Every structure is written in structure tokens, then in C-alpha cells.
Amino acid sequence: MPFSKLGLSDALLKSLAEQNYTEPYPIQQQAIPAILKGKDILGIAQTGSGKTAGFVLPILQQLQDGVSTKNRHVRALIVVPTRELAIQVNEVFTTLGKHLPRPIKTMAVYGGVSINPQMIGLQGVEILVATPGRLLDLISTNAVSLSAIKILVLDEADKMLNLGFKEEMTKIFELLPKQRQNLLFSATLSDDLNNINRNLLRDPLVIKVEEEIQNLDLIKQVAFTIAEEKKGPLLRYLIREQNIEQVLIFTSSVHRTDAVTLKLNQNGINAIAIHSKKSQDARNQALELFKSGKVKALVATDLLGRGIDIKYLPYVINYELPRSPKDYIHRIGRTGRAESSGEAISLISPEEEHHFKVIQKKMGKRVALTDGNEINLKGY
Ligand code: AMP
């Protein structure tokens, strides 16, 4: 089915063609017509499913048809858990809204950077993508009002709850007008989230995308058992021997992220760290350098690993395993996306072997273990 069958305007179809989006993804096929009709949506989907364009396109179209707002009264609000996701979603609005006959101003606001430019920038904004804390700060200084909101999107709502945004989300809900359309996206449905759904959504269309399973088939999974102290040399060996040009490496802590990055650089492999202790500017810059190929390795903690969308990422390496099997799937899901295959490599210390078995069981897939201690790592 082509996009033109979904009821989108010529201006939006033109942007889609420019992006080489030939066919809507399953979630888009279902969500776009329903959102255009004003229905609430509960989307069980994650990054990689195409959910962003699934809500961006119909929101642009709906706001295009309406009247422009009073200044600083945004009409669509997208609440997201992280700054990176805020920037990313805003970019999709900008890209897909490029040809609209009446330009619609969109903006991303998030904490960790100075609030003043955001206060000034909110002039005339109709679509706002925001993290919860900074949004509340901006409301309290009257830089923005939510009283004219027509559409609310909660993106990665499960993660917002995990990151402890529940109280802030409740405050935001209280400031919204009662009459509005609600779109909620989440990778999973917890009890907490179900409560929010019940209070928030009116007779929603439920869309479930089994993205994790589809994705896993595209991913070649490899695992090495290796002594903890040899993980560094094995990592460098793999990057060099497999001629890896772009790799996302996951560790379990900020401290380890910095340590792995330092060691890679000392050994001539260009690497940069991204984690919550870095300033927003440094995080944006790290992501940019990595995406543009100027830096070979991006070393990250789980928080930053989810939600980051990098097209055709060929390799993901788990320097350490994550605690939850779900996070393992999210991590390796950074590769093998958008119909291109990828490889996920895990370095398993003796202490992690049992945990890796648990992960494989939960995932429903077995990964062959290679003994990394047998590899000659001299010189790495
Ligand atoms: P998302 O799940 O929204 O983060 O999107 C995942 C990736 O799929 C992004 O890189 C999008 O640019 C891409 N994408 C979304 N919709 C389409 C489509 N219909 N055709 C091709 N690529 C798409």
C-alpha cells in the first residue's frame, strides 16, 4: 500500500518521497488514518518500528488544517524521556513538514542546557517536543502554556516511568485541557502504564508491533567467553581484525564507559563516550561525530543506548551484559534495523555466563559461545 492511500496531503507525500520512504511501515499504515480521524492510540512499539513518522505525519496534517494559535500556546505536545529523543523527534517534524504550505514551527526543549534560549525560541511554536522536567520549568515561567493542546503524545512511556517521571507526568496531565487526542507509545505495558492508559486514553485503537522478534532474525549474534581482564584486548582485536568501521559499545556504568573509551583511544581506535554525566552539548557532539563517521566507536550506557536512531549501524558490542534481558534486546536492536543486517557481539566473563543463559532463554534464541581465551591477543 502506498502512502498516498493514507489520506496525507501532497506536501507531506513530497517530503516522504524525498526521504525515499516508499511504503508505510505496519504501524504507520494503522496509526496514520486513525490519528487523522481523531482517534486515541495505544501503540506497543519501539524505536525502529517507524512509530515517529506514524504520529508526526498526521499531527502535521491536522495542525495544518487548523488555525494558528495564540502565541506560546502550543497545539501539539510530545513528551519524551531523553534529550536525544527530543532532538530526534523534532528533526522528524522538521524534515517531514518541510513543504507544508503554511509553515508550522516546531521545537525541542530539554534540560541540561540553558533555559533562556528556549524561552525566547518558544515564540510562535505550535508543536513542542519536551522532556518532562524542562517542560514544567518553562510552564512555571510562563514561557509556554498547555491550555490549547489538541494532541498529546507520550513517546517511550515505559521508559518515562522507569526513569521516575511519574510525578512530573501527573503534573503535566493536570495542565492539559480535557478535550484532546492522546497518543501513547511504549515498548512494553507495565501495571503502572496500564493505570495511566485507563485514565488517559478514550477507546484507543491498540496497535501492537512485534518488532523485537522481526529484528532479532536480522541480527547475527556472537558471544565470546573471556576473562574480565582480557575484555579490553579482545574488544580491540575484534575491531581491528573484523575491520569494524562503526560500532556502538555498551557498558554497565558511567565509570566503565569512560575507562573503555580511554583505552580505545590510547590504542589508536577513535572512540567517544556518551553517558548521563556528560553535558548536553558534549552528548550531541558525540552522537554527531559518530553518526557522521568521524569517530569509529561510541561507548554508551543503557540509558543513552535506547531511543538513539542511527541508520544501518553494522555492529553492537556488549562489553558487559545489561541486567535485564529486555535491555539486551534493546541494545542489539540498534543493529539489524531498517531491513539491513547487523552483528551483535557479547563479551561474557565467567561471572556473566549464567546471566547470559537467562537472557537467551528469555529471548528464545541460543547464541553459540566461542572461547575468547583461546584467541591470541598478544599485541592488542
Ligand atoms: P522510528 O521507529 O520512528 O525511530 O523509525 C525507525 C527508522 O525507520 C528511522 O530511521 C526512519 O527514518 C525510518 N523509517 C520510518 N518510516 C519509514 C518508511 N515508511 N520507509 C522507510 N524508512 C522509514
Side-chain angles (χ1 to χ4, degrees), residues 28-86:
Q28 296 162 355
Q29 264 185 42
Q30 294 185 62
I32 293 170
I35 299 172
L36 287 175
K37 278 192 207 130
K39 262 196 97 62
D40 280 7
I41 299 275
L42 171 59
I44 311 299
Q46 55 196 279
T47 307
S49 60
K51 65 183 160 69
T52 317
F55 65 76
V56 164
L57 290 160
I59 289 177
L60 286 170
Q61 175 136 331
Q62 277 173 302
L63 296 199
Q64 176 78 108
D65 292 344
V67 283
S68 187
T69 52
K70 279 199 287 187
N71 198 11
R72 297 187 181 277
H73 285 61
V74 288
R75 301 167 73 206
L77 173 66
I78 295 86
V79 187
V80 297
T82 63
R83 307 147 187 199
E84 283 70 23
L85 193 59

Side-chain angles (χ1 to χ4, degrees), residues 1 3 6 23-35 41 43-45 48-55 185 205-211 214 339:
M1 183 204 276
F3 271 107
L6 299 181
E23 283 226 24
Y25 284 170
I27 193 165
Q28 296 162 355
Q29 264 185 42
Q30 294 185 62
I32 293 170
I35 299 172
I41 299 275
I44 311 299
S49 60
K51 65 183 160 69
T52 317
F55 65 76
F185 294 91
L205 171 70
V206 181
I207 305 174
K208 213 169 173 168
V209 184
E210 305 287 350
E211 201 252 342
Q214 284 167 17
E339 270 109 48

Side-chain angles (χ1 to χ4, degrees), residues 3 16 19-28 45-55 57 85 88-89 92 96 155-156 211 307-312 334 337-339:
F3 271 107
L16 286 166
Q19 293 301 305
N20 291 322
Y21 290 7
T22 45
E23 283 226 24
Y25 284 170
I27 193 165
Q28 296 162 355
Q46 55 196 279
T47 307
S49 60
K51 65 183 160 69
T52 317
F55 65 76
L57 290 160
L85 193 59
Q88 209 166 281
V89 169
V92 179
L96 296 178
D155 197 6
E156 303 206 348
E211 201 252 342
I308 291 179
D309 175 43
I310 300 162
K311 266 187 195 152
Y312 316 123
R334 302 309 93 212
R337 310 178 66 205
E339 270 109 48

Side-chain angles (χ1 to χ4, degrees), residues 20 38 64 66 89 96 103 133 137 177 204 212 266 272 286 304 315 333-335 354 361 366 378:
N20 291 322
Q64 176 78 108
V89 169
L96 296 178
D137 290 345
E212 291 180 1
Q266 282 173 345
I272 199 157
L304 275 283
Y315 288 95
R334 302 309 93 212
T335 179
H354 174 71
K361 205 162 164 217
R366 283 199 49 132
K378 290 213 172 66

Side-chain angles (χ1 to χ4, degrees), residues 42 44 157-158 161 166 169 184 186 188-201 204 206 208:
L42 171 59
I44 311 299
D158 54 337
L161 289 177
K166 194 169 172 185
M169 280 158 77
L184 190 146
S186 174
T188 52
L189 267 189
S190 62
D191 287 345
D192 261 352
L193 206 61
N194 260 327
N195 282 338
I196 290 184
N197 297 344
R198 247 174 265 133
N199 296 326
L200 195 76
L201 302 174
V206 181
K208 213 169 173 168

